[in-house]
Amino acid sequence: MEAKFTKASTLKKLIEAVKELIDECNLECSSTGITMQAMDSSHISLVSFELLAEGFEEYQCNQNISIGINLGTLSKILKSASSDDSIRIFTDENIESITFEFINNEKSIKSTYEIKLIDITGDPVGIPETEYSVTVSMASTEFSKICKDLGVMGETVKVEQKDKKVIFSTSGELGTGSIEINEGENIDESTTTKIESNENIELSFALRYLTLFSKAAPLCENVTLSLELNVPLVVEFPIGEMGALGSIKYFLAPKMGDEDEEEDAEEEMEEWNN
Amino acid sequence: MEAKFTKASTLKKLIEAVKELIDECNLECSSTGITMQAMDSSHISLVSFELLAEGFEEYQCNQNISIGINLGTLSKILKSASSDDSIRIFTDENIESITFEFINNEKSIKSTYEIKLIDITGDPVGIPETEYSVTVSMASTEFSKICKDLGVMGETVKVEQKDKKVIFSTSGELGTGSIEINEGENIDESTTTKIESNENIELSFALRYLTLFSKAAPLCENVTLSLELNVPLVVEFPIGEMGALGSIKYFLAPKMGDEDEEEDAEEEMEEWNN
Amino acid sequence: MEAKFTKASTLKKLIEAVKELIDECNLECSSTGITMQAMDSSHISLVSFELLAEGFEEYQCNQNISIGINLGTLSKILKSASSDDSIRIFTDENIESITFEFINNEKSIKSTYEIKLIDITGDPVGIPETEYSVTVSMASTEFSKICKDLGVMGETVKVEQKDKKVIFSTSGELGTGSIEINEGENIDESTTTKIESNENIELSFALRYLTLFSKAAPLCENVTLSLELNVPLVVEFPIGEMGALGSIKYFLAPKMGDEDEEEDAEEEMEEWNN
């Protein structure tokens, strides 16, 4: 396997977007590109990404291989790369290690890091095809801000869609907080809020996970939330620097009641495993 | 009660200027505006502010009410406001809660936070009218820097005024430090140092408190120190963004001798209570 | 003794460059300038600097004197100086204290700090004259980056020079890292990498010390490494703001084998003491 990212920042942002949810993962490489899928360590949420071969500056892979890596190690190595460096990654012949080569065309410097692959067991989950009755597209910076701001007041966020507006709200010991976004009012056209909806909906989620998902905001100026009753929420960020020939998706089951919610959510996600 | 700040930054800076001195306070609202007065938790210094009705974008209050709030909670909520948001605040009918509404005209977002009021007992102190023999007006950034720089060397600052100059000095284990400011030399006219003086004066203060007072520097580019023998120092910042239709004042009793100074200062301030 | 730095930043950067290696030191002042030499507290490396009288805005010293100072204290005081302040330093008549005067011509402020001198024993080491078979001149920012980046992967750096290129490499639990710099390719002419070499060389050093040496990078845009078998490495930064009429040098013995290296290094440096 050999692949080249034009900008190191793409891979840096991608790893930052998953490393707080999962410690290690298998990159599944094939001739069509690289995919990854993993449940977070508490088995509440699922994250997956897909990088299509056409989205790389160069990409070549003649067999299906699994590249097991520790994301903490990878994140440390990537700190060495300037955002404008290009990155070439390749495996050795026996697929026992992976090498990261950072190339900075303006300087006389070339950095190379080689790390041993690790064995990670676990089959990918089958994600069922779902029709979502509500999809909301909004600026990813606004999504991040909503998660951060409401996180001050509570732990659970209620997402309510009606009449072309979406209300995120929470309550806690200090009081209540609520943030309303309306379709179409955003001044910057490329990130205007768009709401597609067949019916009104009201779902609750663990704010902590949405906040972790929002770490992907630097990957794209837009994010799409897909909502459906009794079905995990999908938070999707296209990868802007790959011309959207790649994307990252997070799945999180809604909270069912007032007690044992995390267990409910865990069961919901576990079902996909079976 | 209902009031509107054109810029969230005004309220943000005001709360930052008091929250390290006091944990909670009563906002006293009347038809003429909002006032607040509280001693710091160690009863050494006193802080008060006044926001005149005319200084708000909108203001309306038909009865005298006390709004008891925790400043830590308020500070957390205000973190959500962008500096350019406008803030509308209002109490509910039974005056049991206060709501903060942040409005950003450029975005399709509206945030609302509601917190329960708390009961705080304690009567306001009567501050005696005083003639000060020396007043010094200077750039608030310079005042902040003096507190921070001398804080490295000592715990007590001596303020000495003579011959149209003011000398702030301290000494400690490491050595001595002294900073001299002269009238009129500052290049930027609006913050030129001005010294009005009937006599020479020399007073000592706990540097820790002056440093806490200097947190108000972002509210105004100028600060005025009023000094008089055996009387608490007044450090006053007009609130620039309210067109000076508001101000915050800090009072701190001078140190009397080498021992038990904090007790002296505490007694001095306590007298006002009786 | 009396000396004046045109820019406070020169002295600030110089102190930052040594304060993590040594806690206190003697500034040796004579009519020709100021020198300093000290081993780090673990006796592994040696640091020295020289500031020629002509490099100061003003300099005057009629007798040879030792000024013993604590670098932590000095660093704290220098935090008060703006980079554009000029600094005048002078000793009192009995050479018991040193005074730092920060002058800001644009403001009406003058700050003065006086600290007591301390007694530090210890004779300066005689550094033997050495011919180095390899010298590498490179951008100091690149040197810093190499130390920081490789520090993620290992504790020892191997420096290898052959064929007009220099390879810095390390290995550790996570994997291996290597950074290659080539002569002449750097786009910015003033910091182009230059390699002078009589023979190929390969030496290993404790990365931790090189990283500490790289704190001097703000002093100059270039750094020179001088390498010779079985002889301490020299890392030299001219002091840019003194028109190179001053420089700081760090010495570090190479690692000899796989075990007891620090002891070897210590013995190597101790030899200079005898």
Side-chain angles (χ1 to χ4, degrees):
Chain A
M1 197 278 299
E2 183 177 338
K4 189 170 176 185
F5 290 89
T6 313
K7 294 181 72 176
S9 55
T10 312
L11 186 57
K12 283 170 96 128
K13 291 173 189 169
L14 187 63
I15 300 306
E16 292 307 302
V18 297
K19 82 173 214 275
E20 285 181 51
L21 275 169
I22 52 179
D23 294 332
E24 46 187 40
C25 68
N26 275 325
L27 302 176
E28 306 293 345
C29 305
S30 71
S31 59
T32 58
I34 301 176
T35 62
M36 190 285 295
Q37 191 190 88
M39 299 203 72
D40 78 277
S41 48
S42 54
H43 282 230
I44 304 288
S45 68
L46 185 133
V47 52
S48 76
F49 61 68
E50 181 176 42
L51 312 174
L52 296 181
E54 296 78 22
F56 290 92
E57 183 174 336
E58 289 168 23
Y59 183 84
Q60 164 191 338
C61 181
N62 304 321
Q63 50 176 316
N64 293 358
I65 58 173
S66 281
I67 295 178
I69 50 170
N70 180 291
L71 291 165
T73 303
L74 183 48
S75 167
K76 276 182 193 166
I77 289 174
L78 289 174
K79 283 214 180 10
S80 306
S82 304
S83 291
D84 291 336
D85 286 359
S86 56
I87 298 188
R88 199 169 69 95
I89 63 179
F90 53 91
T91 48
D92 65 332
E93 214 168 313
N94 302 320
I95 312 179
E96 287 176 343
S97 73
I98 182 166
T99 300
F100 295 80
E101 203 178 87
F102 305 150
I103 305 136
N104 185 319
N105 295 321
E106 295 193 11
K107 290 194 186 149
S108 55
I109 269 194
K110 193 179 77 177
S111 306
T112 310
Y113 297 90
E114 182 176 352
I115 54 176
K116 292 237 172 309
L117 300 186
I118 54 179
D119 253 336
I120 304 167
T121 53
D123 289 323
V125 168
I127 300 171
E129 284 286 322
T130 306
E131 294 262 316
Y132 297 92
S133 55
V134 175
T135 62
V136 181
S137 168
M138 60 192 293
S140 54
T141 51
E142 285 189 4
F143 176 68
S144 295
K145 185 164 158 47
I146 289 168
C147 295
K148 183 163 148 284
D149 289 351
L150 293 184
V152 168
M153 300 296 277
E155 293 176 358
T156 299
V157 61
K158 189 169 78 182
V159 184
E160 210 180 334
Q161 189 283 136
K162 57 177 178 187
D163 310 334
K164 291 292 179 188
K165 69 175 71 168
V166 183
I167 300 166
F168 297 83
S169 62
T170 190
S171 69
E173 278 176 31
L174 303 178
T176 63
S178 110
I179 299 176
E180 188 184 304
I181 63 168
N182 291 284
E183 183 166 57
E185 287 174 18
N186 201 311
I187 259 174
D188 183 348
E189 221 173 289
S190 64
T191 56
T192 304
T193 304
K194 290 190 201 86
I195 300 169
E196 284 176 32
S197 159
N198 301 325
E199 55 185 272
N200 294 348
I201 204 165
E202 185 183 311
L203 293 167
S204 290
F205 301 97
L207 196 41
R208 197 170 86 78
Y209 286 93
L210 294 192
T211 306
L212 288 170
F213 302 168
S214 72
K215 305 285 181 199
L219 280 167
C220 187
E221 59 183 354
N222 280 290
V223 58
T224 302
L225 314 185
S226 303
L227 298 143
E228 175 64 40
L229 268 185
N230 303 320
V231 163
L233 159 77
V234 188
V235 179
E236 178 172 6
F237 298 83
I239 298 176
E241 287 171 353
M242 293 182 78
L245 289 163
S247 72
I248 181 165
K249 286 183 193 176
Y250 301 89
F251 300 84
L252 177 68
K255 288 192 164 196
M256 295 309 178
D258 283 335
E259 289 177 66
D260 305 323
E261 296 109 349
E262 296 235 324
E263 267 175 46
D264 287 352
E266 189 173 344
E267 272 169 36
E268 175 73 20
M269 301 304 286
E270 288 291 346
E271 260 173 44
W272 289 1
N273 270 320
N274 305 324
Chain B
M1 196 277 299
E2 184 177 336
K4 189 169 175 186
F5 290 89
T6 313
K7 293 180 74 178
S9 55
T10 312
L11 186 57
K12 283 170 96 131
K13 291 172 188 169
L14 187 63
I15 300 307
E16 292 307 301
V18 297
K19 81 174 217 274
E20 284 181 52
L21 276 169
I22 51 177
D23 293 333
E24 47 189 35
C25 68
N26 276 325
L27 302 177
E28 307 293 345
C29 305
S30 70
S31 58
T32 58
I34 301 175
T35 61
M36 191 285 296
Q37 190 190 88
M39 301 205 70
D40 78 276
S41 48
S42 55
H43 283 228
I44 303 290
S45 67
L46 183 133
V47 54
S48 75
F49 61 68
E50 182 176 43
L51 312 175
L52 296 182
E54 296 77 24
F56 290 92
E57 183 174 334
E58 288 168 25
Y59 184 83
Q60 164 190 342
C61 181
N62 303 323
Q63 50 176 317
N64 292 359
I65 57 174
S66 281
I67 296 178
I69 49 170
N70 179 291
L71 292 163
T73 303
L74 184 50
S75 167
K76 276 182 192 166
I77 289 175
L78 289 173
K79 284 212 178 16
S80 305
S82 304
S83 291
D84 290 337
D85 286 359
S86 57
I87 297 189
R88 198 169 69 94
I89 63 179
F90 53 91
T91 49
D92 66 332
E93 214 168 314
N94 303 319
I95 313 179
E96 288 177 341
S97 73
I98 183 167
T99 301
F100 294 82
E101 203 178 87
F102 305 150
I103 305 137
N104 185 319
N105 294 321
E106 296 193 10
K107 288 194 186 150
S108 55
I109 270 194
K110 194 179 76 179
S111 306
T112 310
Y113 296 90
E114 183 177 350
I115 54 176
K116 292 236 171 312
L117 299 187
I118 53 178
D119 252 336
I120 304 167
T121 54
D123 289 323
V125 169
I127 300 170
E129 284 288 320
T130 307
E131 292 263 316
Y132 297 91
S133 56
V134 175
T135 62
V136 181
S137 167
M138 60 192 293
S140 53
T141 51
E142 285 187 6
F143 177 67
S144 295
K145 186 165 157 48
I146 288 168
C147 295
K148 183 164 148 281
D149 289 354
L150 294 184
V152 168
M153 300 297 276
E155 293 176 359
T156 298
V157 62
K158 189 169 78 183
V159 183
E160 210 180 336
Q161 189 283 136
K162 56 176 182 190
D163 311 335
K164 292 289 179 188
K165 68 176 71 166
V166 183
I167 300 166
F168 298 82
S169 62
T170 190
S171 70
E173 280 178 27
L174 303 178
T176 63
S178 110
I179 299 177
E180 187 184 304
I181 64 168
N182 291 283
E183 184 166 57
E185 287 175 16
N186 200 312
I187 260 176
D188 184 347
E189 221 173 290
S190 64
T191 56
T192 305
T193 303
K194 290 191 200 85
I195 299 170
E196 283 175 34
S197 160
N198 301 325
E199 53 186 274
N200 294 348
I201 204 165
E202 186 182 312
L203 292 167
S204 289
F205 301 96
L207 196 40
R208 197 170 85 77
Y209 286 92
L210 294 191
T211 306
L212 287 171
F213 302 167
S214 72
K215 304 286 180 197
L219 279 169
C220 188
E221 58 184 356
N222 279 290
V223 58
T224 303
L225 315 185
S226 302
L227 298 143
E228 175 62 43
L229 269 185
N230 302 322
V231 162
L233 160 77
V234 188
V235 180
E236 178 173 6
F237 298 85
I239 298 177
E241 287 172 353
M242 293 183 77
L245 289 163
S247 72
I248 181 167
K249 286 183 192 175
Y250 302 90
F251 299 84
L252 178 68
K255 289 193 164 195
M256 296 305 178
D258 283 336
E259 288 177 66
D260 306 321
E261 297 107 349
E262 296 235 325
E263 268 174 47
D264 288 351
E266 190 173 343
E267 272 168 38
E268 175 73 23
M269 299 304 286
E270 287 291 345
E271 260 173 46
W272 290 1
N273 270 319
N274 305 321
Chain C
M1 195 277 300
E2 183 177 336
K4 190 169 174 186
F5 289 90
T6 312
K7 294 180 73 176
S9 55
T10 311
L11 185 57
K12 282 170 96 130
K13 291 172 189 169
L14 187 64
I15 300 306
E16 292 307 302
V18 297
K19 82 172 214 274
E20 285 181 52
L21 275 170
I22 52 179
D23 295 332
E24 47 187 40
C25 68
N26 276 326
L27 301 177
E28 306 293 344
C29 305
S30 70
S31 59
T32 58
I34 301 175
T35 61
M36 191 284 297
Q37 191 189 85
M39 300 205 69
D40 78 276
S41 49
S42 55
H43 283 228
I44 303 289
S45 67
L46 184 132
V47 54
S48 75
F49 61 70
E50 182 176 42
L51 313 175
L52 295 182
E54 296 77 21
F56 290 91
E57 184 176 332
E58 289 168 24
Y59 184 84
Q60 164 191 339
C61 182
N62 302 323
Q63 50 176 319
N64 293 358
I65 57 174
S66 281
I67 295 178
I69 49 171
N70 180 292
L71 292 164
T73 302
L74 184 49
S75 166
K76 277 183 192 167
I77 289 175
L78 289 173
K79 284 213 178 12
S80 304
S82 304
S83 291
D84 291 336
D85 286 358
S86 56
I87 296 188
R88 197 169 71 94
I89 63 180
F90 54 91
T91 47
D92 64 333
E93 215 168 311
N94 303 320
I95 312 180
E96 288 177 342
S97 73
I98 182 165
T99 300
F100 295 81
E101 202 179 271
F102 305 151
I103 304 136
N104 185 319
N105 295 322
E106 296 193 10
K107 290 198 185 144
S108 55
I109 269 194
K110 192 179 78 177
S111 307
T112 310
Y113 297 89
E114 181 176 353
I115 54 177
K116 293 236 171 311
L117 299 186
I118 52 179
D119 252 339
I120 305 167
T121 53
D123 289 323
V125 169
I127 300 171
E129 284 287 320
T130 306
E131 294 262 314
Y132 297 92
S133 56
V134 174
T135 62
V136 180
S137 167
M138 61 192 291
S140 54
T141 51
E142 285 188 5
F143 176 67
S144 295
K145 187 166 158 44
I146 288 167
C147 294
K148 183 163 148 281
D149 289 352
L150 293 184
V152 169
M153 301 296 277
E155 293 175 0
T156 298
V157 60
K158 190 169 77 184
V159 184
E160 210 179 335
Q161 189 282 135
K162 57 178 181 188
D163 312 334
K164 292 291 180 188
K165 71 175 67 166
V166 183
I167 300 166
F168 299 82
S169 61
T170 190
S171 68
E173 278 177 29
L174 304 178
T176 64
S178 110
I179 299 176
E180 187 183 303
I181 64 168
N182 291 283
E183 184 165 59
E185 285 176 18
N186 200 311
I187 260 175
D188 183 349
E189 222 172 288
S190 64
T191 56
T192 304
T193 304
K194 290 190 202 87
I195 299 169
E196 283 176 34
S197 160
N198 301 325
E199 55 185 273
N200 293 349
I201 204 165
E202 184 181 313
L203 292 166
S204 290
F205 302 96
L207 196 39
R208 196 169 87 78
Y209 286 92
L210 294 192
T211 306
L212 287 170
F213 302 168
S214 72
K215 306 284 182 199
L219 280 168
C220 188
E221 59 184 353
N222 279 290
V223 57
T224 303
L225 314 184
S226 301
L227 298 143
E228 174 64 41
L229 267 186
N230 302 323
V231 163
L233 160 77
V234 188
V235 179
E236 178 173 7
F237 298 84
I239 298 177
E241 289 172 351
M242 293 183 76
L245 289 163
S247 71
I248 181 166
K249 287 183 191 176
Y250 301 90
F251 299 84
L252 178 68
K255 289 191 162 196
M256 295 307 178
D258 283 335
E259 290 176 65
D260 306 321
E261 296 109 351
E262 295 234 327
E263 268 175 47
D264 286 353
E266 189 174 342
E267 273 170 36
E268 175 73 20
M269 300 304 286
E270 289 291 344
E271 261 173 43
W272 288 1
N273 269 320
N274 305 323

